Amino acid sequence: MSTKETEKSILSATKFKLNGEVLSATPFGSGHINDTFKITTNATSNNLYLLQRINHHIFKDVDGLMNNIQAVCNHLKMKLAHLGEEEVLKKTMTLVPCLDGKKYHKDEEGDYWRIFLLIPDTRSYDILETTEQAYSGGMAFGQFQKQLSDLDPKELVEILPNFHNIEFRLNNLRDAIAKDPVKRVTEVQDLLDYIFEREDKMRWILEMGRANRLPLRITHNDTKFNNVLLDKNDQVQCVIDLDTVMPGYVAYDFGDAIRTIINSAAEDEADLNKIQLNFPLFQSFTAGYLSEAKEFLTDDEVDSLIYAVHLLPYMQAVRFLTDYIDGDTYYKIAYPEHNLVRTKAQLKLVKELEANHDKLSEILAEYLTTK
């Protein structure tokens, strides 16, 4: 990190109500959206903080974003109050207010900053290593949804409109095809055929929601495994990265988590033969998730889970292919065909999921009946 960036992050940190004086600011974590720094002060306790520069190009409604996060954090703290203040601080994110009482600081250059307490003695994993971790991850997201199941979704704004709306994503794809700015449509016609053949069945969750058969709830919408903090024994500690928390359908969280853990290969694996399903991780995550979530899920929500398992990798393929046709304007790429490789990998995952639909459904049914 440059000296200028260090100085800027330290100056921003001084705008918040911290214990002690700021000693250092160092880059922290593996996130790709916001810039995150660990702040250390000279206080004898509670001297570690997370400072983040909010990417306001993606999260354009910073007031709405921060109000969402505050509402969720307050509700979770209320749910956990019986554990005592010390445990609550370990199990929820805690926003630190600015000196002027605001939730965030806007600097002279137009950047937005916020600070959370850093939760000590925790770990996160970019890649799942064990079935025990998978169980903990599923339990964490199931518990998160359960604790928020009685928070009125109307209290939160849709911070990223249409984020998981497959109709919106397919319309974007059609727009890209019509414009074809870099003349790539012809070379991907087979992929487009595969996608549009499945269009109707991929609308199931959206149509169920429109028919009021799926309730809107507060969902996380970015259920990567590294958004769960575990303790030293790999037990659930806290769900983090609350930027995308907003009203949605619970199945989207389940489906996106499965998309990221069930694939035995990388998201951009070029050798499609390496893309196989990791059933033990699916089984463990599902067991952990349903151990918490089945307490509040409706029958229709239960039915929607298997549809989301197919939908989320399909939707990600649609997004990658749209960007490829558009000329790679959204996702960062490492080489010219990167988005095409990503598309093919996600569609291969869809094929594997379709071929094993019955087996996956049986696993879901097993843990729905387990006490």
Side-chain angles (χ1 to χ4, degrees), residues 114-348:
R114 67 182 176 208
I115 285 186
F116 294 97
L117 292 181
L118 180 66
I119 302 174
D121 303 320
T122 60
R123 63 180 79 181
S124 65
Y125 298 88
D126 288 331
I127 299 174
L128 271 167
E129 298 174 358
T130 68
T131 54
E132 289 77 12
Q133 291 169 2
Y135 185 92
S136 291
M139 185 178 178
F141 286 119
Q143 189 177 80
F144 182 81
Q145 289 182 346
K146 182 175 72 173
Q147 290 169 340
L148 295 172
S149 62
D150 59 346
L151 177 60
D152 188 350
K154 294 178 182 177
E155 292 192 26
L156 273 64
V157 299
E158 190 178 10
I159 204 65
L160 294 174
N162 295 309
F163 188 59
H164 281 141
N165 183 332
I166 188 56
E167 193 170 81
F168 172 77
R169 299 299 182 186
L170 287 166
N171 286 340
N172 286 346
L173 177 58
R174 287 191 168 91
D175 287 343
I177 293 168
K179 295 173 183 175
D180 197 12
V182 289
K183 307 305 178 187
R184 288 176 170 175
V185 169
T186 301
E187 68 171 288
V188 297
Q189 191 59 55
D190 59 328
L191 302 178
L192 292 169
D193 291 344
Y194 183 89
I195 285 171
F196 289 124
E197 284 171 4
R198 283 153 180 76
E199 177 177 358
D200 288 344
K201 69 178 182 180
M202 293 299 178
R203 294 175 183 270
W204 190 88
I205 293 176
L206 194 62
E207 291 172 353
M208 288 285 283
R210 286 171 174 167
N212 295 318
R213 292 184 59 183
L214 296 177
L216 269 182
R217 299 190 188 272
I218 306 301
T219 51
H220 189 278
N221 298 296
D222 189 15
T223 49
K224 298 189 300 290
F225 187 65
N226 61 8
N227 282 333
V228 174
L229 294 184
L230 303 179
D231 65 17
K232 62 183 179 180
N233 298 314
D234 283 342
Q235 299 301 302
V236 177
Q237 186 97 11
C238 180
V239 171
I240 61 172
D241 197 354
L242 306 181
D243 286 325
T244 55
V245 173
M246 56 185 168
Y249 302 123
V250 294
Y252 292 151
D253 276 1
F254 182 78
D256 204 27
I258 296 303
R259 182 185 74 84
T260 61
I261 68 171
I262 200 171
N263 190 350
S264 60
E267 187 178 68
D268 57 357
E269 176 56 59
D271 183 354
L272 299 184
N273 291 322
K274 293 182 179 179
I275 298 175
Q276 304 293 329
L277 304 188
N278 190 321
F279 288 103
L281 291 185
F282 174 81
Q283 192 164 3
S284 295
F285 183 93
T286 299
Y289 175 77
L290 289 175
S291 72
E292 296 286 339
K294 68 182 178 182
E295 179 181 319
F296 73 90
L297 293 176
T298 67
D299 289 344
D300 283 329
E301 285 178 304
V302 168
D303 290 342
S304 73
L305 297 180
I306 191 64
Y307 286 91
V309 169
H310 296 284
L311 172 63
L312 271 294
Y314 172 89
M315 190 181 313
Q316 195 59 55
V318 169
R319 296 181 67 187
F320 284 144
L321 189 56
T322 300
D323 198 32
Y324 182 70
I325 293 171
D326 272 338
D328 309 304
T329 60
Y330 185 82
Y331 292 105
K332 292 180 180 179
I333 58 171
Y335 51 91
E337 296 80 25
H338 201 171
N339 273 323
L340 181 59
V341 168
R342 289 165 167 158
T343 301
K344 291 179 178 179
Q346 290 298 292
L347 292 181
K348 175 59 159 54

